[in-house]
Amino acid sequence: MSNHRKPTAGNGYRAQFLRSPAWFARRERWFRKQERLGGPLACAACDRPASKHELELHHLDYAGVSLAADGSWRAFEPHADLLPLHPYCHELLHRLIDRDIVLSRHRSRRAASEFALQRVRDKLTAHQGMP
């Protein structure tokens, strides 16, 4: 198992799923539920408020993602398995996972993401405190 991000070419998840109607519908359902829960939208890394158009969703687990026999994608991830992140914060999270051999190969995706997210938060907090 690897958490290392694979190139888009030849990667069905990145090349197909993240562009599929199933993913866009799931993304909309996530934001509608978040709105019903009453919490303000904010990036899970930098904690800055944002609109749904300014945020991407990071998968902590792919258990709800599947490819049906007819070639269509299914997106039934639990709400808590998706984290809202600004694109910049999302990229930082993936860079940490991709560059750290322990995170990219020896931990579950959830554990690697949670560890990397805390590191991104720490770095962003430290950077904000600098003059």
Side-chain angles (χ1 to χ4, degrees), residues 7-22:
T8 302
N11 180 342
Y13 169 77
R14 288 183 65 203
Q16 298 169 11
F17 175 69
L18 292 179
R19 293 182 172 96
S20 73

Side-chain angles (χ1 to χ4, degrees), residues 1-130:
M1 177 185 84
S2 174
N3 293 314
H4 187 59
R5 193 165 35 170
K6 295 163 184 67
T8 302
N11 180 342
Y13 169 77
R14 288 183 65 203
Q16 298 169 11
F17 175 69
L18 292 179
R19 293 182 172 96
S20 73
W23 171 242
F24 287 106
R26 177 63 188 104
R27 185 180 192 284
E28 284 302 312
R29 286 192 316 271
W30 189 92
F31 283 107
R32 279 196 311 272
K33 181 171 182 177
Q34 194 64 23
E35 186 177 310
R36 281 193 316 271
L37 292 173
L41 282 179
C43 176
C46 68
D47 205 32
R48 287 184 307 170
S51 71
K52 71 179 187 178
H53 303 290
E54 297 170 307
L55 295 168
E56 297 176 347
L57 295 177
H58 175 77
H59 283 84
L60 292 177
D61 195 311
Y62 296 116
V65 176
S66 62
L67 186 58
D70 67 1
S72 63
W73 288 94
R74 305 287 190 254
F76 297 106
E77 306 90 330
H79 187 77
D81 282 355
L82 298 170
L83 288 178
L85 295 165
H86 286 112
Y88 175 76
C89 297
H90 196 183
E91 181 63 26
L92 290 175
L93 182 90
H94 276 285
R95 284 184 187 185
L96 280 172
I97 293 170
D98 291 350
R99 292 181 181 169
D100 185 303
I101 194 162
V102 173
L103 294 179
S104 68
R105 297 191 182 186
H106 299 292
R107 292 184 182 228
S108 69
R109 177 166 176 87
R110 179 178 302 281
S113 293
E114 289 170 352
F115 183 84
L117 180 61
Q118 188 57 54
R119 295 278 318 268
V120 170
R121 285 177 181 151
D122 294 344
K123 293 284 186 182
L124 290 172
T125 300
H127 182 68
Q128 289 172 354
M130 296 178 75

